[in-house]
């Protein structure tokens, strides 16, 4: 029934925060910045690696392909050049035939002879569609296939004529639309026909022999390369006019392309433009150009798979990393939660807790200990426990470091408890508080001592109870010895027969009274015992209050003048008669004892719903607020002279309360108006017979 | 005629002592608390004072201390009556310079001989 004042609890939240701050965990890490850092340092490089590897491989491949295209262009250009040159060579060799020359040189041109040669030239293959011979002026002498309309026509405006006449050697012409039937697009390989060597002079050009090469033939030739190299190929003549090209690029039209311009200038190389990779080269000796191309997507398709593979791997890796991070964060959260829980547990304990390292230096404390010692955690943590919290025994002697419980726990590895009420800790403000402690070593899995934990309880209340018990024992012992003294003494005197008659009678009376007194004390102690063990039995009956009170009054005959009764004669309670008498007697006895001899004690009763409230009012000096809280406690006696004089046991009110509550009632105290006390108890009302 | 003062808050104990000691040789004075005991001792100057230690207000120890500390009364023999047998009480009795102590319950015969002893046989 202790009544220790608990003080104002501060909120659990703030106590947890303080406990967390005090439980310093050296591995404590801030979660969010750490996770962000880890994400950046792992996913960042991964993304960079992926991007760079894809980029670099694309670039390398592009570069490779460009190189390939350049050489493709060059190879193709060489082939085209050789083909056309070869053709020109053939024409040239025919143009150098003596019989052809002779047939041109006579006054009358031998057309038949010429046609023979033409036929032979044409049949050589190589794709010549038209072969022809013109005179010096460019007028057609004859041609195959025979086209009489064209014979005698002047073709000196043609590029092949001009080329031959200016270069005075074989020549491959630009592409143009021929005059022959169907107006095919052609290129002409032509060579000058020179007169036979004359004395002392160069040979005069007497005519031009030419063979027309259909562009489609060139195209056919070129397409083989296209297939072989997997590229598109465009061939232009020396003006940049398209000679052969894939569908969609018109022949006989000038191709407006910077690359072609470069090739016309004699350059070769590769470039990437608008998603297409190009290679270009100049055709040696005839001034033509070749341009090859391949769409980037097709060229780089090989890399597509690599890219896909890289992205997939990176993706999987990234997902695994993120999952790993999530698990890590969850683990950290878990750890923080556990720490919070531990902090919460320590914060909510009512006993003080101190945790030290193996050398006794404080590493953590809880809020309850801070309150107990009047010190903040900051003053305690980091210092040796025995220095910062001095201990003393009940004689005021200091407890040396080696005798401290925490020291024993650390050194012996055993759990130790303080016993009794012999230990005091000194607070910051110098006040010494009695404590009970339990110290235990903190042992890791290898049985190494990692520190110690001590639980400290303020034992002030326990000491008080203990002292009360001690004083009870001495009180009871005193209470017992006093009547015993009289019994022993007076009976001894009687036995000596040294007393006269009056004295003898008095002696016997004293013996009797003392015996009764002893008996009452024993009864009281037994009542207390029964109340506490719950063995009090109440036989319920209808108890008329007037009657019960009257019986009480009969016990105090000499004080009847002081007592005033205000009870309705019909009022009855559901209780046990003897107990009601006992209760009222106890209260009335106190009232009479502890109020002035001339003051009135009033006993009243009234109905209150389903109960009856009986009140005993005295006009004594009442109780202080402090004492009021404790008057129903066992052995409690108010420390006042008239109370000490009476030599009671401090059990009266405790027993009375127990009696009332055993019947389902309540007993309480209120200060009386104008001073004094009112003790009231409530019992269930009884209406009819049970 | 020797004067004897008995101070005890229990009326029965006082009656017992009176019955035991009252005779032609001893006059018995009674006090029921420490203050009264001190007052009577100072005014009547008995030869012996029997003091119960557990009296309200001024207990027996304090009365003894006062008597022994006062030159006028320091010659008075003081015997303390105590129901407590703890060593602490015995030490305290010595501290306040009581001449003797007696534990309760006591035999009246023993009390009589104790009184004779302290004061010397009449």
């Amino acid at each position: 029934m202790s009544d220790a004042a608990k003080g104002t609890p501060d909120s659990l939240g703030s106590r947890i925060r303080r406990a967390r701050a005090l439980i310093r965990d050296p591995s404590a890490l801030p979660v969010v910045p750490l996770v962000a850092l880890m994400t950046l340092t792992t996913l960042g490089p991964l993304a960079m690696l992926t991007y760079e590897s894809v980029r670099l491989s694309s670039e390398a491949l592009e570069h490779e392909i460009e190189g390939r295209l350049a050489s493709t262009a060059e190879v193709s250009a060489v082939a085209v050049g050789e083909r056309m040159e070869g053709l020109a060579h053939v024409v040239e060799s025919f143009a150098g035939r003596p019989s052809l020359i002779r047939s041109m040189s006579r006054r009358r041109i031998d057309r038949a002879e010429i046609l023979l040669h033409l036929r032979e030239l044409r049949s050589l293959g190589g794709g010549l569609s038209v072969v022809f011979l013109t005179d010096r002026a460019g007028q057609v002498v004859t041609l195959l296939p025979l086209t009489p309309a064209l014979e005698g026509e002047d073709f000196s405006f043609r590029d092949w004529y001009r080329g031959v006449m200016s270069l005075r050697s074989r020549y491959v012409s630009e592409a143009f639309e021929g005059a022959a039937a169907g107006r095919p697009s052609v290129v002409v390989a032509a060579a000058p026909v020179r007169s036979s060597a004359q004395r002392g002079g160069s040979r005069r050009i007497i005519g031009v022999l030419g063979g027309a090469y259909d562009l489609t033939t060139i195209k056919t030739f070129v397409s083989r390369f296209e297939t072989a190299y997997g590229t598109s190929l465009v061939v232009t003549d020396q003006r940049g006019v398209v000679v052969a090209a894939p569908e969609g690029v018109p022949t006989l039209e000038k191709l407006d392309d910077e690359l072609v311009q470069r090739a016309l200038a004699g350059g070769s190389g590769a470039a990437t433009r608008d998603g297409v990779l190009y290679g270009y080269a100049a055709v040696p000796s005839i001034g033509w150009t070749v341009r090859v191309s391949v769409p980037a997507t097709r060229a780089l398709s090989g890399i597509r798979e690599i890219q896909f593979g890289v992205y997939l791997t990176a993706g999987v890796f990234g997902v695994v990393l993120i999952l790993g991070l999530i698990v890590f964060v969850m683990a950290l959260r878990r750890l923080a939660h556990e720490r919070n829980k531990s902090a919460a547990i320590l914060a909510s304990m009512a006993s003080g807790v101190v945790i030290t390292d193996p050398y006794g230096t404080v590493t953590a404390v809880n809020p309850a200990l801070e309150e107990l010692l009047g010190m903040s955690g900051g003053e305690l943590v980091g210092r040796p426990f025995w220095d910062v919290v001095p201990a003393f025994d009940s004689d005021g002697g200091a407890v040396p470091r080696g005798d401290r419980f925490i020291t024993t726990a650390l050194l012996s590895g055993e759990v130790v408890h303080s016993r009794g009420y012999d230990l005091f800790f000194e607070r910051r403000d110098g006040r010494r508080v009695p404590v009970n402690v339990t110290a235990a070593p903190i042992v890791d899995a290898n049985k190494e001592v990692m520190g110690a934990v001590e639980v400290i309880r303020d034992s002030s209340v326990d000491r008080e109870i203990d002292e009360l018990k001690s004083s009870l024992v001495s009180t009871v012992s005193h209470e017992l010895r006093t009547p015993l003294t009289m019994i022993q003494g007076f009976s001894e005197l009687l036995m000596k027969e040294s007393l006269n008659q009056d004295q003898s009678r008095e002696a016997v009376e004293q013996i009797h009274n003392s015996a009764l007194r002893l008996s009452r004390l024993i009864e009281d102690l037994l009542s207390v015992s029964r109340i506490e063990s719950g063995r009090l039995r109440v036989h319920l009956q209808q108890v008329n209050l007037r009657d019960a009170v009257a019986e009480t009054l009969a016990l105090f005959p000499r004080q009847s003048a002081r007592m005033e009764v205000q009870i309705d004669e019909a009022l009855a309670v559901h209780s046990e008669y003897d107990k009601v008498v006992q209760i009222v007697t106890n209260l009335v006895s106190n009232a009479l004892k502890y109020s002035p001899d001339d003051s009135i004690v009033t006993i009243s009763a009234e109905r209150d719903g389903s109960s009856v409230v009986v009140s005993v009012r005295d006009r004594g000096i009442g109780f202080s607020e402090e004492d009021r809280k404790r008057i129903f406690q066992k052995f409690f006696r108010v420390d006042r002279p008239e109370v000490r004089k009476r030599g009671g046991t401090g059990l009266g009110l405790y027993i009375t309360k127990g009696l009332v509550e055993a019947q389902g009632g309540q007993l309480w105290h209120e200060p009386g108006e104008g001073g004094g006390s009112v003790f009231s108890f409530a019992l269930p009302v009884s209406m009819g017979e049970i | 005629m020797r004067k004897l003062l008995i101070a005890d808050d229990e009326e029965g104990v006082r009656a017992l002592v009176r019955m035991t000691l009252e005779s032609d040789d001893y006059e018995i004075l009674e006090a029921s608390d420490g203050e009264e005991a001190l007052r009577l001792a100072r005014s009547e100057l008995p030869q012996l004072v029997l003091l119960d230690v557990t009296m309200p207000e001024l207990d027996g120890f304090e009365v003894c201390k006062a008597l022994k500390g006062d030159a006028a009364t320091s010659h008075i023999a003081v015997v303390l009556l105590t129901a407590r047998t703890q060593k602490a009480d015995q030490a305290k009795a010595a501290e306040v310079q009581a001449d003797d102590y007696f534990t309760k319950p006591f035999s009246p015969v023993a009390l009589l001989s104790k009184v004779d002893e302290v004061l010397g046989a009449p």
Side-chain angles (χ1 to χ4, degrees), chain A residues 274-304:
Chain A
D274 300 335
V276 180
L277 286 89
Y278 296 100
Y280 60 93
V283 177
S285 74
I286 58 176
W288 283 14
T289 74
V290 169
R291 190 191 77 176
V292 296
S293 61
V294 69
T297 47
R298 198 152 54 83
L300 300 174
S301 66
I303 211 176
R304 202 59 51 68

Side-chain angles (χ1 to χ4, degrees), chain A residues 49-60:
Chain A
L49 185 72
T50 309
Y51 174 73
E52 275 297 299
S53 69
V54 166
R55 187 177 70 82
L56 284 175
S57 56
S58 299
E59 266 183 29

